[in-house]
Amino acid sequence: MIQSGTQLQTEYTSFFKQKRGAIRKQRAVIQKVLDLGPATVSEISEQADLAKNLVVWNIIGMLRWGMIEIVEEHGPELVYALKR
Amino acid sequence: MTESHDMTKTLTGERSRDALVIGGGVAGMQAALDIASQGFKVYLVEKSPSIGGRMAQLDKTFPTLDCSACILTPRLSEVSRHPDIELLAYSEVKDVKGEEGNFRVQVLRKTRKVHVDKCTACGNCLSVCPVEVPNEFDGNLGFRKAIYMPFPQATPAVMTIDADTCIDCNRCAKECDRGAIDYTLTDETVELHVGAIILATGYRLFDVAKYPRLGYNRYQNVINALEYERLINAAGPTMGHLLRMSDGKAPKKIGFIQCVGARDIQKGVPLCSRICCMYGIKNAVMAKEHDPEAEVTIYYLDIRAFGKGFEEFYEMARTRFGVKFVRGRVGDVNEDAATENLIVRVENTETGTVEDVVHDMIILSPGVQPPIDLSEMVGNMGVHVDTDGYVEVEDVLLAPVDTKIPGIYVCGCAEGPRDIPDSVAAGSAAAMRAAITLVKGDDKN
């Protein structure tokens, strides 16, 4: 039986409850940052003015739907780029 | 494998030579294969959209560090292709009547809103579905759509519409060239006539949020072991990169806390879960495999490395991989608000000192518990559960897979916590006992 096995109710999971319009806006801003070149979560967060955990959440979604890819590691962070 | 909807039998009064296996995890699949390979027909009922159970969610297995999916996928395929196994996934047993050799079982077949004979799992519907929800298979860290397949090797390989989150926009139906999506499909109940039943309902993980002092649900960088498994899995939400949810950085100082929801009378879980020590060590080893420079610590009460190769695996973790083991129950976990690092307060019982240790990420290793509805489900069959909530057996030494109801057997974690090899062995044992029932009638004569 597949179960989630989790009851994680942090800020992270609350992001799933956002309105679709808000999510679309966040992804558009992230995409705009990545249009300028590959970037880390810290860089995206700074340039897009979004909280880091919100950027992580969106990045995981964008990875899942094939919009972006991981291109390299930069210290403790990964560098993300738009999939062409 | 078939998923036909016409399986009702009307053999009133006759003994049936068919068997029912409830639960499509590794134990249930083994039981189904072993019965079917002896020429009996088997109905395999699975509650979720796919068989595979908990093992499908794991990254590696202990003590060999084999890829879990690599072992499991051929088994999924074997079940799906076996001509004598009829898979009833996304279905639930609602009622059981009768006696050994002649059980009548009511099974609710939940609708997927998808014609299983038309869907090819091409995935075109996924790209148009606008609804994003947490993916339970990824410990709710990853994403799925309202129409989904839990994982790429899901069996049967068909899409399912999650009625709770679907907004009926009809975009998936319009996108599907084969006309597989049909919102008018409804649940249906079918009756099965079987001679033997095997319970293989698996387990659930202890809800670690019941220990607020350990920070789960309070701090983003405290996760449980199943979430960790999905994060380090190449097919997981981060494509195998272990990241902190708070800032996307790779953790360099990782702590594993053992026995969370096991051997604790105050929380109503006095039982040792048997598997946590080894999966905790395995997870620690995987952290070092991912990043050999990472500092990895396990906080434990005892290490119970009881199985073949387990002690050697523990030694290897300590000496070859450099995992640090600290004996002592963790008091609490607090967060440094500025860095979102975690401070573990622990009494090291080997040195007699209380220590505050800073970590980037904490993984709680939950104990296992019986499924929440197990007592009610088996109670309908006249089967009892023991004080820990697991299925009670006839004799723990001499009849470890027989319930007290003739013709009903149990295997895997439905009977108590056990690891994969023990679950497989119990699946085969239950299959043998069921086959004796199917061949000879009352096996106690």
Side-chain angles (χ1 to χ4, degrees):
Chain A
M1 178 171 62
I2 297 166
Q3 300 171 333
S4 70
T6 177
Q7 297 77 33
L8 193 63
Q9 302 291 330
T10 60
E11 211 175 333
Y12 180 87
T13 48
S14 72
F15 294 146
F16 282 102
K17 294 176 183 157
Q18 296 180 97
K19 295 238 183 279
R20 277 194 292 281
I23 296 170
R24 269 199 296 271
K25 275 183 198 165
Q26 289 156 17
R27 301 229 172 127
V29 177
I30 292 171
Q31 198 161 332
K32 212 169 165 185
V33 173
L34 293 177
D35 272 336
L36 303 173
T40 62
V41 166
S42 298
E43 290 161 351
I44 296 168
S45 167
E46 196 180 318
Q47 292 174 44
D49 197 22
L50 294 172
K52 282 184 185 175
N53 59 354
L54 184 57
V55 174
V56 171
W57 181 82
N58 276 294
I59 287 285
I60 287 175
M62 293 167 85
L63 277 171
R64 174 70 181 88
W65 310 126
M67 298 159 73
I68 60 169
E69 60 189 337
I70 298 164
V71 289
E72 61 177 317
E73 291 178 20
H74 184 256
E77 292 199 66
L78 299 172
V79 180
Y80 304 92
L82 292 175
K83 231 174 183 176
R84 302 289 178 190
Chain B
M1 177 201 77
T2 52
E3 270 220 328
S4 73
H5 288 235
D6 182 22
M7 61 201 75
T8 307
K9 295 198 169 181
T10 51
L11 300 172
T12 311
E14 291 177 23
R15 291 181 68 90
S16 171
R17 284 168 57 87
D18 300 345
L20 167 67
V21 177
I22 305 172
V26 69
M29 286 194 296
Q30 184 67 41
L33 284 167
D34 285 356
I35 298 172
S37 298
Q38 296 176 71
F40 300 106
K41 168 137 188 171
V42 181
Y43 298 104
L44 177 56
V45 173
E46 166 57 42
K47 200 174 185 177
S48 66
S50 169
I51 55 171
R54 190 69 77 181
M55 189 176 170
Q57 293 176 279
L58 305 181
D59 182 55
K60 297 283 193 296
T61 57
F62 63 78
T64 53
L65 295 183
D66 284 319
C67 162
S68 186
C70 305
I71 300 169
L72 189 69
T73 306
R75 196 50 64 95
L76 296 175
S77 179
E78 207 180 333
V79 170
S80 74
R81 289 161 194 262
H82 202 295
D84 288 328
I85 297 179
E86 188 155 326
L87 177 56
L88 284 72
Y90 211 41
S91 302
E92 289 179 36
V93 170
K94 287 296 174 189
D95 191 38
V96 177
K97 285 192 170 65
E99 57 190 7
E100 182 181 32
N102 189 9
F103 292 108
R104 300 278 168 179
V105 184
Q106 301 290 321
V107 177
L108 174 69
R109 306 221 61 198
K110 295 180 282 185
T111 179
R112 297 175 192 263
K113 306 279 185 193
V114 172
H115 290 286
V116 294
D117 51 341
K118 290 183 183 171
C119 179
T120 58
C122 66
N124 288 347
C125 50
L126 296 180
S127 57
V128 296
C129 177
V131 180
E132 285 183 335
V133 292
N135 188 353
E136 304 87 343
F137 188 79
D138 281 336
N140 287 341
L141 297 177
F143 288 65
R144 69 164 171 81
K145 295 288 183 74
I147 186 164
Y148 71 106
M149 222 167 58
F151 55 102
Q153 301 82 16
T155 305
V158 288
M159 294 291 167
T160 302
I161 291 180
D162 172 4
D164 292 339
T165 54
C166 177
I167 56 171
D168 295 334
C169 67
N170 212 32
R171 288 186 206 178
C172 54
K174 284 179 195 155
E175 187 67 20
C176 184
D177 296 337
R178 298 175 62 88
I181 296 164
D182 184 350
Y183 287 89
T184 65
L185 293 175
T186 54
D187 294 350
E188 59 177 327
T189 301
V190 296
E191 185 181 273
L192 307 179
H193 181 223
V194 296
I197 297 172
I198 293 179
L199 305 168
T201 48
Y203 67 90
R204 72 187 152 109
L205 288 176
F206 181 85
D207 177 6
V208 293
K210 289 181 180 169
Y211 288 89
R213 63 188 169 82
L214 297 181
Y216 189 81
N217 279 0
R218 289 165 60 210
Y219 309 132
Q220 295 181 80
N221 297 324
V222 178
I223 61 174
N224 74 24
L226 188 69
E227 290 156 0
Y228 174 85
E229 292 271 1
R230 297 312 303 158
L231 285 180
I232 62 169
N233 188 284
T238 54
M239 300 183 167
H241 295 274
L242 182 59
L243 302 177
R244 305 203 318 168
M245 292 297 111
S246 65
D247 56 12
K249 289 183 181 167
K252 289 288 178 189
K253 292 188 75 177
I254 305 167
F256 291 86
I257 300 177
Q258 300 300 111
C259 287
V260 183
R263 304 175 64 194
D264 189 342
I265 293 168
Q266 288 184 337
K267 296 287 181 194
V269 278
L271 209 61
C272 167
S273 288
R274 293 180 38 149
I275 59 171
C276 323
C277 285
M278 294 312 295
Y279 82 62
I281 295 172
K282 182 258 300 182
N283 284 340
V285 166
M286 290 313 299
K288 292 292 274 186
E289 284 242 306
H290 277 243
D291 181 2
E293 302 301 315
E295 288 178 37
V296 180
T297 307
I298 292 184
Y299 299 96
Y300 71 99
L301 297 179
D302 295 306
I303 294 295
R304 296 189 167 178
F306 60 90
K308 191 177 179 182
F310 289 8
E311 187 67 24
E312 292 86 342
F313 187 68
Y314 166 45
E315 278 306 309
M316 184 180 76
R318 221 168 45 83
T319 55
R320 186 169 132 202
F321 286 93
V323 175
K324 188 178 172 191
F325 287 80
V326 174
R327 189 173 188 275
R329 176 92 73 173
V330 169
D332 56 26
V333 175
N334 290 298
E335 188 187 65
D336 176 339
T339 61
E340 290 172 297
N341 288 339
L342 302 151
I343 303 147
V344 171
R345 171 154 287 206
V346 59
E347 182 191 7
N348 185 329
T349 55
E350 286 178 335
T351 62
T353 55
V354 176
E355 300 168 6
D356 286 324
V357 188
V358 178
H359 290 282
D360 300 333
M361 177 181 265
I362 290 292
I363 295 106
L364 307 179
S365 298
V368 305
Q369 290 188 283
I372 209 147
D373 53 356
L374 181 65
S375 173
E376 188 187 347
M377 193 196 79
V378 301
N380 286 335
M381 305 176 193
V383 174
H384 293 147
V385 295
D386 59 24
T387 50
D388 295 305
Y390 294 100
V391 172
E392 194 172 49
V393 293
E394 170 90 18
D395 185 318
V396 290
L397 296 178
L398 298 175
V401 295
D402 293 21
T403 69
K404 293 189 174 178
I405 302 295
I408 301 181
Y409 306 94
V410 61
C411 63
C413 292
E415 194 273 318
R418 62 196 62 209
D419 61 14
I420 293 167
D422 285 355
S423 294
V424 171
S428 286
M432 199 59 196
R433 299 292 292 159
I436 292 169
T437 292
L438 297 176
V439 167
K440 293 171 69 177
D442 186 356
D443 60 353
K444 291 190 176 61
N445 290 334

